[in-house]
Amino acid sequence: MADTPKKSTQSPTKKLKKQTTSPFSVSATPQTPQTLDPPRRFSPRLSLKPNTPQEPVSPIEKTTKDSLKTPPNKLAEAPPESRAVSSKTRRNLSNNELKKTPRGEKDNGCSKTPKSKAEVLDVEFSPVSPDQSETKKRRRGEEKEKERTVMTRAMASKKKAAKTDKMSGKKRVYYKKVVYDGGEFEVGDDVYVKRREDANSDDEIPELEECRVCFKAGKAVMVECDDCLGGFHLKCLKPPLKTVPEGDWICGFCEARKLGREVQLPRPPPGKKLARTLRDKLLSSDLWAAHIESIWKEADGSYWFRGQWYTIPEETSAGRQPHNLRRELYQTNDFADIEMESIIRHCYVMNPKEYAKAHDEGDDIFMCEYEYDIQWHSFKRLADIDNGEEEGDDSDIDEDWKSSKDAESDTDEDVEYEDEKVKNLQSTASSAHELAANSRKGKFFGLQKIGTKRIPEHVRCHKQTELEKAKAALVLAKLPKSLPCRNKEMEEISAFVKGAICDNQCLGRCLYIHGVPGTGKTMSVLAVMRNLKSEVDAGSIRPYCFVDVNGLKLASPENIYRVIYEALTGHRVSWKKALHLLNERFSEGKRNGKEDDRPCILLIDELDLLVTRNQSVLYNILDWPTKPHSKLIVIGTLSLSLSLPEYLYMGIANTMDLPEKLLPRISSRMGIQRVCFGPYNYQQLQEIISSRLKGIDAFEKQAIEFASRKVAAISGDARRALEICRRAAEIADYHIKKLSSNHNPAPEGKGLVGMSEVEAAIHEMFQAPHIQVMRSCSKLSKIFLAAMVYELYKTGMAETSFEKLAMTVSCICTSNAEAFPGWDILLKVGCMLGESRIILCEPGARHSLQKLQLNFPSDDVSFALKDSKEIPWLAKYL
Amino acid sequence: MGIENLAEKAQILMRSRLCSPNFIFKPLSDSSDSNYSKLKFIISSSIIEACNNSILLLGPRGSGKVAVLELVLSDLLEEYPDTITVIRLNGLLHSEDNSALKEIARQLCMEHHLLFSKMASFDDNSQFMIAMLRECGLAHKTVIFALDEFDLFAQGKQRLLYSLLDAMQTVTSQAVVVGVSCRLDADQLLEKRVRSRFSHRKLLFLPPSKEDVQRLLEHILSLPMDSSLACDYAAEFNEKLQSILADKRFKEIISNYLNSNSTTNHLLRFLFIAISNMELKSGFLSLENFKAALSSIQRQPKQECIKDCSILELYILVCMKRLEVREQNSYNFSSVMQEYKSVHDSFPTSDYYAQNVCLRAFEHLLQRELICFTDNRGHSQSIEFRQVKLVVSYAELQEGLKSYRSCPVSHSHNSICF
């Protein structure tokens, strides 16, 4: 982000909430009752116009009661062994099953087993366990009962909800968690939603999935086919399986169908219909799934929620794509207000990471990696998957931020939704009112247009080789889980930050971190802040706000005021106004709200960019911490201590001597505290690289050592070391792929990145390619260069004029029976060399007055030209 | 069809070949050592593996850096339709950060059919760029920034490069920066923070070797046997061409031409002239065409300038030279006039011109850049008093005088005696 620094506002309300275990934000805001849109669905296939079901349906009630479940992550902790045995519960309907990894599977659209058409099995049924090379275990058994841990909290919330209900009277009341019909629904949950009222009338929801062969549910372990998602008892298979196979497993029917044979599925025993689970219904678009965005109670007492729809691949414009998994859903950007009545029960939509880990968590798990834009019919990866993985608390921040805003006004959000809808309508209706994408008043417009029409296949179905894995691990962008070799510095920083925050004395302080690029300065600070954030969440530290500015991304140094102010308050003002307001806030101690009282940590990257002529920016920024603090300390009352602002500044700059460069009045404010990030030595670099490559067998050990030694000797820049290794892996990969594309048998054991690749990468990175260019340049250029060297030795002067040089060249040419090309051509040759910066020269318009100088040592030229086959006599002059 | 008609067709075909980089560089791109396949591998692997990369293409002008890049890009656009957005910038046009960012925003808007606003500020544009990079990354779209004249971007504070390369340090973005520069030390120009974020892939483009030139000539000049051109004509044409290509004199011409500059582009320029010289009547290329092309392309502009000078202008040049020989390093028009007078006194001729005439001749020489002012200072001074210097060298002047047909005796005498 160029100018909007990342903000991590920590709402104190949240902490409070945690301590008192009140599970929802009690915020009743007046709201004019608005007409509700009927749940909107986008699919053109919809034949029935859905409307909100009004009457309570009894089967649903039953199931909602029954299907109360804990969130999946709780279940994940349960040891798998214990699961198959204990099956006491009637409530839990779904079977356990192992999940496939999101990559890997490629199903060719083999649709679900036709249930009604199943005929008598007259062919010997033998689902063979397919002999796939990489098979994974999957198992289907009874889910263990391990829930009900949250019951008390739910009850509490129910009670609380009732209370607020009375309080709010006729207004809409928003809840975070609601117990409805015995099911506990929280904002952020995923649920099945009835598609039409009579959805449940035709058949009831089966309690347990039944085996496709014996049509009994039973407690025995079942295995799920990756293709048709049908369940099979291990013992019902032919030949029976002892254990759940590793990897993908496809049942015999699908196997046969793939081979093109007619398959007849076992027919259920007479009088028994093959029941369809909710999952079946959802995937055959008889049901919907939605993500709960907010829950509220209308004035008339009915409970509603705003849901974000999920859609199945078949309902998108692209249809089911070959790489789609059976259990894949897309999140849409379509919202609807739905009555709680129409919820059937929970389902669990996970991101690919969780999904890959989820082994046996029931039937109601789905995988969602992409968002589907219903207007533009395009796909986009869900952003929070990456973020959530990289910085575990990003989502927390968001939630915090939102909840603290929610406290102010709930209406705002709703209005915003409305706005959005209106805007969407507008943009589709008339493009005349479209807003420019790149100018923004708080946000950009039209970015939702970007998205792929189809998800490219190479993204999902690509099996990574070891080398590719290594390359991916070495990418700079990838933040490592841990930061090796910077523990001492991080401790120092975190001690400093904590010291400044935790002091009730409100000490504004400066910390000055310096070190060469690529030594992990920013990363360490951010890591420290992350750790602190978790401590804040745990309640051991008071909340603070953190503003992150990068000097190099500011259009001008003065802009920093604006950026800081925007980060703190969210308002965009001119920098002069911002300076004024910040001055008010920091030096005069004027506070507007409670939020302002928090200590503020300002991280300024590339501090040296803020140095202006009179250094007023730096002065102001470094002056603020000293001011309010001295003032408030004089007052020194403990009760005020909470509201004492504490400003903490950290400048990060690559120039070591920044304090010395500054005017004395600034350097005196800068304080003495410095942390130095020295360049990494080779052991550290080696550790950094190996920690990234853990578990990937792609590099020879000496190769890593060689790269790290080389980088340590030159700069100690970790980015360089990583890049060298990545490049080396790339070179190796290139060679292997080229070999295999030429149908040569790839030499075995050559998969490792060795010394030669690393050397090539180092050479590419650090060596200027001038010698190669000199070797391959034209004949006259070579003579020209040789003449320059000759001239240099003759006169001892580095600089020469074109006139003198041309004389030398003509001498050389005549004495070696070479035609002198003429002055003008020679001048052109010189200018060409000057363009490549092999020589330094003045513009060619100076002609004979032009001054020339070699840009590289004359030894390099001699080395390059000595053994040229074209003009062997050139060696004489070198 | 008459032979002229055929010849014209052949000429058009060959010319159009010369003008399309695709045709020129395609055959050179098959081997695994070629820059084409290396570049394509780097870019396509960063598309597939969704990672960020930055590459520098270095090499002398005319060696086909941009042509190969465009070739790779067009191939990739075919291979991965609508997952690639190419942003093209040129250092000569967009070296200023503000305008460069605006241009990036404009092209991004164009590509994605968004509305672009000219009024957006630097901050807006840079945030828009980062937001777009993120969105494109999420949609599995790769943004390729092709920065021509990369060295010109590496001036000043390099905010553009920094924000570009820093945006590429996040997982969600998916971008490739390709810098094209003829400066071999282009990566050394980067500021240390920028350099640290640059991934330092370098591809070096070198002029073709002798064998490659030979192959290239054949590739460009030989006519296809299966096209609309008559088969027998094409066969005859190719046969004649082979004999020319094998001719020793032809090889001499080519090597003479490539002596000064052996890049591909330079060769193509030569071939273009040669083909344009082709006689339509005979319908075939001949050695004469190439010879004529060589002489028309290898010219000595300064010497020709001297040849075009008037007698008076030559006088002035010679006088200036005499002054310089006497190691009088700073002189102006007045001292040249004195010299002119003294020369005229010692070798009286019929043509002696007044000072204002001489001044006119002097100005003319200035305009033709045969002489120049020593420095840029003193713009307020009149021309007579500003210091001047001779731009052509003595040897060139001497050469010019020698070949001057109607040169007066005194002149040649003059010029020989110093």
Side-chain angles (χ1 to χ4, degrees):
Chain A
M1 283 290 185
D3 272 352
T4 344
K6 202 166 81 194
K7 166 169 26 187
S8 70
T9 24
Q10 181 64 40
S11 64
T13 46
K14 169 155 187 196
K15 213 178 84 189
L16 203 79
K17 237 183 279 159
K18 271 198 179 141
Q19 284 156 356
T20 56
T21 64
S22 80
F24 62 95
S25 56
V26 191
S27 59
T29 37
Q31 164 108 20
T32 46
Q34 54 192 107
T35 49
L36 289 162
D37 313 23
R40 189 154 62 95
R41 277 298 266 189
F42 47 88
S43 166
R45 297 187 189 186
L46 254 183
S47 52
L48 278 167
K49 190 175 176 271
N51 47 6
T52 28
Q54 297 297 328
E55 47 166 320
V57 186
S58 51
I60 300 174
E61 255 183 52
K62 183 187 133 219
T63 47
T64 38
K65 222 175 279 163
D66 284 354
S67 65
L68 229 173
K69 269 205 251 171
T70 46
N73 48 5
K74 289 234 168 91
L75 280 167
E77 291 153 17
E81 294 85 30
S82 58
R83 228 165 269 173
V85 201
S86 67
S87 56
K88 278 278 129 66
T89 172
R90 262 205 70 246
R91 249 170 306 209
N92 209 319
L93 312 177
S94 15
N95 294 329
N96 302 332
E97 44 200 326
L98 232 92
K99 282 289 142 285
K100 55 213 147 216
T101 48
R103 278 176 203 278
E105 191 207 47
K106 194 191 252 182
D107 77 43
N108 50 359
C110 165
S111 62
K112 57 202 174 291
T113 41
K115 279 137 200 154
S116 49
K117 282 185 292 185
E119 281 172 46
V120 189
L121 176 75
D122 49 3
V123 184
E124 184 64 35
F125 165 58
S126 59
V128 235
S129 36
D131 49 349
Q132 267 180 316
S133 52
E134 355 103 358
T135 45
K136 222 180 287 163
K137 193 165 286 181
R138 81 195 34 240
R139 170 192 320 168
R140 180 177 280 213
E142 286 275 33
E143 192 172 69
K144 198 191 159 194
E145 182 185 35
K146 219 193 150 246
E147 56 269 33
R148 311 265 145 221
T149 48
V150 279
M151 215 41 221
T152 48
R153 236 158 82 193
M155 295 327 242
S157 89
K158 177 90 175 179
K159 267 181 237 150
K160 260 261 171 76
K163 225 196 285 172
T164 44
D165 207 23
K166 275 171 213 146
M167 258 162 54
S168 60
K170 282 275 168 212
K171 289 154 202 161
R172 237 185 218 196
V173 189
Y174 283 84
Y175 302 109
K176 262 202 137 165
K177 195 184 270 173
V178 156
V179 174
Y180 193 84
D181 276 342
E184 179 193 335
F185 299 100
E186 208 175 333
V187 170
D189 280 352
D190 306 306
V191 288
Y192 287 118
V193 179
K194 265 195 303 177
R195 184 154 190 168
R196 43 175 195 260
E197 283 171 49
D198 56 339
N200 288 86
S201 55
D202 52 353
D203 51 1
E204 66 188 62
I205 300 158
E207 316 223 315
L208 270 176
E209 195 178 350
E210 290 150 346
C211 174
R212 289 287 164 91
V213 183
C214 64
F215 296 94
K216 282 177 202 135
K219 297 156 196 166
V221 178
M222 282 169 89
V223 61
E224 185 188 65
C225 170
D226 272 323
D227 218 350
C228 60
L229 294 184
F232 298 91
H233 281 132
L234 288 181
K235 62 175 177 8
C236 296
L237 295 172
K238 297 226 165 129
L241 289 173
K242 284 255 156 48
T243 51
V244 177
E246 282 286 341
D248 294 352
W249 179 84
I250 295 170
C251 68
F253 305 118
C254 298
E255 189 94 331
R257 202 179 293 120
K258 267 185 190 171
L259 292 173
R261 263 185 275 148
E262 275 289 306
V263 185
Q264 278 162 330
L265 287 165
R267 194 166 155 197
K272 183 160 180 176
K273 236 170 73 183
L274 185 64
R276 297 164 72 206
T277 57
L278 286 179
R279 183 254 307 153
D280 275 333
K281 286 184 184 166
L282 177 68
L283 293 183
S284 53
S285 59
D286 287 338
L287 269 184
W288 286 326
H291 181 80
I292 300 180
E293 288 282 306
S294 56
I295 307 175
W296 71 88
K297 189 176 146 189
E298 276 295 323
D300 59 358
S302 59
Y303 284 85
W304 289 76
F305 73 95
R306 167 169 277 273
Q308 187 174 15
W309 292 113
Y310 287 105
T311 180
I312 56 173
E314 280 84 356
E315 283 184 352
T316 62
S317 63
R320 170 167 282 278
Q321 295 171 51
H323 49 71
N324 280 136
L325 302 179
R326 295 294 335 170
R327 284 179 184 270
E328 181 155 351
L329 294 179
Y330 295 121
Q331 196 176 59
T332 66
N333 57 348
D334 191 19
F335 294 88
D337 294 339
I338 312 159
E339 206 171 352
M340 290 289 270
E341 284 294 345
S342 51
I343 293 182
I344 299 176
R345 66 168 192 226
H346 275 283
C347 61
Y348 302 99
V349 180
M350 306 174 166
N351 66 36
K353 274 265 151 61
E354 292 168 1
Y355 184 72
K357 270 183 239 151
H359 286 318
D360 23 28
E361 280 161 24
D363 195 31
D364 299 325
I365 352 176
F366 299 95
M367 202 266 289
C368 176
E369 195 182 359
Y370 287 89
E371 191 187 28
Y372 179 68
D373 191 300
I374 54 159
Q375 261 162 355
W376 301 100
H377 304 294
S378 61
F379 300 94
K380 211 180 273 183
R381 246 184 323 153
L382 284 172
D384 51 325
I385 293 175
D386 284 319
N387 294 349
E389 180 202 346
E390 298 310 322
E391 319 166 14
D393 50 6
D394 228 9
S395 49
D396 291 345
I397 294 171
D398 274 359
E399 208 178 2
D400 260 357
W401 177 228
K402 235 183 255 162
S403 66
S404 63
K405 260 197 141 174
D406 282 0
E408 288 167 28
S409 61
D410 268 320
T411 46
D412 266 8
E413 275 210 32
D414 247 46
V415 170
E416 220 172 84
Y417 285 141
E418 289 302 307
D419 279 353
E420 224 166 85
K421 229 173 247 170
V422 171
K423 217 175 287 147
N424 284 349
L425 285 176
Q426 265 179 358
S427 66
T428 45
S430 65
S431 55
H433 290 285
E434 227 176 330
L435 285 150
N438 63 330
S439 78
R440 46 161 231 166
K441 292 181 177 66
K443 62 177 180 179
F444 301 106
F445 294 99
L447 290 195
Q448 69 273 10
K449 277 195 203 176
I450 301 150
T452 40
K453 293 283 174 233
R454 291 179 75 85
I455 299 159
E457 205 151 317
H458 61 79
V459 183
R460 314 273 320 258
C461 310
H462 187 63
K463 195 117 177 97
Q464 279 186 313
T465 62
E466 284 286 299
L467 273 175
E468 279 164 350
K469 269 187 229 160
K471 273 199 274 177
L474 289 170
V475 168
L476 285 185
K478 193 153 182 171
L479 277 181
K481 290 257 152 50
S482 62
L483 290 165
C485 316
R486 282 293 180 223
N487 297 333
K488 208 183 104 234
E489 285 85 353
M490 274 171 63
E491 267 167 33
E492 226 172 297
I493 297 170
S494 100
F496 170 81
V497 175
K498 273 190 207 161
I501 295 183
C502 297
D503 261 340
N504 289 338
Q505 306 292 314
C506 110
L507 291 173
R509 289 196 204 171
C510 297
L511 179 69
Y512 176 57
I513 302 174
H514 60 89
V516 295
T519 46
K521 298 184 293 293
T522 311
M523 201 153 68
S524 306
V525 176
L526 291 179
V528 167
M529 298 321 291
R530 269 203 299 276
N531 293 344
L532 283 182
K533 182 86 174 71
S534 56
E535 281 188 51
V536 169
D537 290 341
S540 57
I541 298 184
R542 279 191 292 136
Y544 56 87
C545 53
F546 177 58
V547 181
D548 177 6
V549 188
N550 192 323
L552 253 174
K553 290 182 188 164
L554 299 168
S556 72
E558 283 83 16
N559 262 351
I560 194 170
Y561 302 130
R562 221 192 62 190
V563 173
I564 296 173
Y565 189 72
E566 191 182 341
L568 288 175
T569 63
H571 301 296
R572 278 163 77 91
V573 290
S574 76
W575 71 261
K576 281 190 180 137
K577 183 91 191 292
L579 173 61
H580 178 72
L581 290 168
L582 287 173
N583 256 331
E584 234 171 44
R585 173 170 171 172
F586 291 141
S587 356
E588 291 160 28
K590 242 192 217 167
R591 305 276 174 274
N592 295 326
K594 223 166 72 175
E595 292 232 342
D596 288 0
D597 298 339
R598 286 189 245 160
C600 166
I601 299 176
L602 177 64
L603 168 67
I604 306 175
D605 249 340
E606 323 293 3
L607 189 64
D608 52 331
L609 264 289
L610 295 182
V611 179
T612 49
R613 179 163 297 199
N614 58 8
Q615 302 190 349
S616 65
V617 176
L618 260 192
Y619 177 79
N620 275 333
I621 284 178
L622 298 177
D623 193 37
W624 286 332
T626 61
K627 272 197 179 153
H629 127 89
S630 51
K631 209 163 145 199
L632 287 172
I633 276 186
V634 176
I635 299 168
T637 49
L638 261 169
S639 61
L640 277 178
S641 70
L642 248 170
S643 66
L644 291 185
E646 292 150 19
Y647 304 107
L648 207 116
Y649 290 91
M650 294 179 191
I652 292 188
N654 294 308
T655 37
M656 287 260 268
D657 57 342
L658 187 61
E660 286 77 30
K661 270 211 284 199
L662 297 168
L663 293 175
R665 59 171 185 168
I666 293 181
S667 53
S668 76
R669 281 173 172 82
M670 192 88 175
I672 337 128
Q673 217 153 355
R674 292 193 205 183
V675 178
C676 176
F677 277 65
Y680 290 111
N681 61 26
Y682 82 91
Q683 286 111 334
Q684 290 172 325
L685 287 175
Q686 210 173 333
E687 198 184 324
I688 291 170
I689 299 169
S690 337
S691 74
R692 286 204 180 206
L693 288 175
K694 202 170 273 171
I696 302 169
D697 179 34
F699 271 80
E700 278 173 21
K701 223 170 170 218
Q702 304 102 295
I704 295 178
E705 187 178 338
F706 179 49
S708 38
R709 271 182 193 273
K710 192 83 189 179
V711 173
I714 292 172
S715 63
D717 183 341
R719 288 200 195 107
R720 286 289 189 98
L722 291 172
E723 276 299 339
I724 285 180
C725 290
R726 190 157 76 97
R727 179 64 182 149
E730 212 171 86
I731 292 172
D733 199 22
Y734 178 72
H735 285 312
I736 287 173
K737 288 206 172 131
K738 280 292 152 184
L739 273 183
S740 59
S741 71
N742 291 345
H743 306 295
N744 292 355
E748 280 309 307
K750 204 48 187 93
L752 285 186
V753 178
M755 294 290 266
S756 57
E757 280 90 3
V758 172
E759 188 144 21
I762 289 172
H763 189 84
E764 185 179 317
M765 182 171 288
F766 292 114
Q767 235 81 359
H770 58 278
I771 291 191
Q772 270 169 286
V773 172
M774 281 187 225
R775 274 200 181 131
S776 66
C777 65
S778 65
K779 193 169 164 190
L780 266 181
S781 317
K782 283 179 187 163
I783 297 175
F784 192 97
L785 285 171
M788 282 203 76
V789 174
Y790 184 62
E791 188 75 17
L792 175 72
Y793 285 142
K794 214 170 62 183
T795 61
M797 305 268 278
E799 196 178 89
T800 179
S801 81
F802 178 71
E803 190 161 15
K804 281 186 210 154
L805 193 88
M807 294 305 280
T808 319
V809 170
S810 77
C811 282
I812 291 177
C813 282
T814 42
S815 61
N816 289 293
E818 190 77 32
F820 180 66
W823 287 62
D824 294 306
I825 288 177
L826 205 61
L827 183 77
K828 234 189 256 173
V829 169
C831 289
M832 283 279 293
L833 288 174
E835 238 168 17
S836 317
R837 289 298 190 279
I838 291 175
I839 62 171
L840 303 173
C841 63
E842 286 182 317
R846 304 273 294 159
H847 205 74
S848 64
L849 304 174
Q850 189 188 30
K851 287 184 182 125
L852 305 162
Q853 192 178 347
L854 276 177
N855 195 21
F856 293 104
S858 62
D859 294 345
D860 282 8
V861 182
S862 316
F863 174 75
L865 301 182
K866 210 159 244 168
D867 39 359
S868 107
K869 277 179 219 119
E870 225 182 344
I871 11 178
W873 45 264
L874 214 55
K876 275 193 285 184
Y877 300 95
L878 296 168
Chain B
M1 265 197 283
I3 193 135
E4 276 184 42
N5 217 339
L6 283 174
E8 206 171 335
K9 264 194 183 168
Q11 207 177 19
I12 290 168
L13 176 74
M14 284 189 288
R15 277 198 207 136
S16 65
R17 278 176 178 181
L18 285 175
C19 294
S20 85
N22 270 15
F23 182 82
I24 307 294
F25 288 97
K26 198 88 198 178
L28 295 175
S29 58
D30 294 333
S31 75
S32 71
D33 285 335
S34 71
N35 282 321
Y36 168 82
S37 52
K38 281 180 191 165
L39 183 63
K40 193 171 172 193
F41 176 78
I42 293 177
I43 298 182
S44 67
S45 72
S46 39
I47 290 171
I48 291 173
E49 287 157 34
C51 57
N52 302 300
N53 251 330
S54 33
I55 314 155
L56 267 185
L57 311 183
L58 301 175
R61 279 192 200 286
S63 48
K65 302 178 292 291
V66 177
V68 168
L69 176 63
E70 290 296 327
L71 197 62
V72 168
L73 288 181
S74 64
D75 282 5
L76 287 177
L77 282 173
E78 234 166 72
E79 214 169 303
Y80 306 98
D82 60 54
T83 57
I84 299 177
T85 313
V86 183
I87 308 290
R88 290 184 177 84
L89 297 179
N90 193 313
L92 290 170
L93 301 174
H94 314 113
S95 65
E96 200 230 335
D97 295 329
N98 205 349
S99 66
L101 265 176
K102 191 171 274 185
E103 180 63 19
I104 290 175
R106 193 189 66 79
Q107 292 190 17
L108 279 174
C109 286
M110 286 273 286
E111 284 280 338
H112 294 100
H113 313 290
L114 301 171
L115 205 69
F116 170 71
S117 147
K118 279 188 279 185
M119 311 295 287
S121 66
F122 178 87
D123 285 355
D124 281 349
N125 278 331
S126 77
Q127 283 180 26
F128 172 71
M129 179 184 80
I130 287 160
M132 282 294 283
L133 275 180
R134 188 184 130 91
E135 296 291 316
C136 288
L138 292 179
H140 296 298
K141 289 187 174 182
T142 305
V143 185
I144 299 176
F145 294 91
L147 309 180
D148 203 355
E149 312 289 350
F150 181 77
D151 45 311
L152 295 177
F153 286 102
Q155 287 171 341
K157 293 212 167 144
Q158 308 180 0
R159 282 184 209 283
L160 172 78
L161 286 179
Y162 184 85
S163 47
L164 208 57
L165 294 172
D166 204 55
M168 285 164 54
Q169 307 283 314
T170 55
V171 211
T172 38
S173 74
Q174 197 174 330
V176 181
V177 172
V178 185
V180 178
S181 174
C182 64
R183 280 188 72 160
L184 298 181
D185 58 349
D187 62 326
Q188 302 301 311
L189 297 173
L190 296 176
E191 208 250 357
K192 56 186 187 304
R193 288 170 282 220
V194 181
R195 200 187 314 161
S196 170
R197 287 171 172 79
F198 197 77
S199 47
H200 286 276
R201 276 116 183 83
K202 277 187 227 161
L203 287 179
L204 188 60
F205 285 73
L206 295 173
S209 66
K210 277 222 164 102
E211 296 77 46
D212 285 338
V213 168
Q214 197 70 18
R215 228 177 303 148
L216 201 59
L217 284 172
E218 234 167 278
H219 174 64
I220 295 168
L221 296 177
S222 54
L223 293 181
M225 301 295 279
D226 53 346
S227 77
S228 57
L229 293 165
C231 231
D232 46 342
Y233 169 74
E236 199 180 348
F237 186 96
N238 289 346
E239 203 176 297
K240 291 215 167 171
L241 180 74
Q242 285 301 329
S243 72
I244 292 176
L245 289 181
D247 195 336
K248 229 179 170 172
R249 284 172 297 167
F250 175 78
K251 280 186 180 156
E252 226 162 71
I253 290 172
I254 289 289
S255 74
N256 187 4
Y257 177 71
L258 292 182
N259 261 352
S260 62
N261 183 351
S262 51
T263 56
T264 321
N265 217 356
H266 196 61
L267 179 69
L268 297 184
R269 212 175 306 149
F270 171 72
L271 291 180
F272 196 92
I273 296 176
I275 289 167
S276 303
N277 283 344
M278 185 170 99
E279 255 186 66
L280 292 182
K281 269 202 191 111
S282 68
F284 302 105
L285 279 173
S286 67
L287 198 60
E288 308 311 313
N289 298 149
F290 292 100
K291 265 187 201 160
L294 182 67
S295 62
S296 74
I297 214 168
Q298 278 196 338
R299 311 189 71 160
Q300 309 274 350
K302 282 274 144 112
Q303 281 191 16
E304 284 164 25
C305 255
I306 294 174
K307 269 185 211 165
D308 291 344
C309 285
S310 66
I311 304 281
L312 179 59
E313 281 162 2
L314 282 181
Y315 259 118
I316 292 173
L317 286 178
V318 169
C319 291
M320 286 175 75
K321 190 165 136 195
R322 285 170 64 107
L323 284 172
E324 276 188 19
V325 169
R326 272 189 257 126
E327 308 220 333
Q328 196 172 331
N329 275 331
S330 62
Y331 53 88
N332 53 20
F333 178 67
S334 319
S335 35
V336 172
M337 277 319 288
Q338 275 174 15
E339 184 67 23
Y340 177 56
K341 233 172 240 170
S342 69
V343 166
H344 201 262
D345 288 346
S346 43
F347 305 95
T349 53
S350 58
D351 38 26
Y352 177 75
Y353 300 96
Q355 183 160 352
N356 55 349
V357 180
C358 292
L359 185 61
R360 202 55 174 279
F362 188 74
E363 278 169 3
H364 193 225
L365 283 178
L366 271 175
Q367 280 162 8
R368 307 204 69 174
E369 292 200 335
L370 289 170
I371 59 176
C372 69
F373 295 119
T374 32
D375 45 35
N376 286 325
R377 282 171 291 146
H379 283 294
S380 51
Q381 267 176 321
S382 62
I383 292 173
E384 293 108 296
F385 306 111
R386 286 181 73 179
Q387 293 190 0
V388 285
K389 239 178 149 40
L390 204 56
V391 169
V392 286
S393 56
Y394 308 157
E396 274 173 297
L397 186 56
Q398 215 159 340
E399 200 88 347
L401 286 177
K402 258 190 221 161
S403 57
Y404 200 86
R405 269 164 297 158
S406 58
C407 181
V409 190
S410 63
H411 259 156
S412 38
H413 183 76
N414 258 339
S415 50
I416 288 158
C417 54
F418 41 72

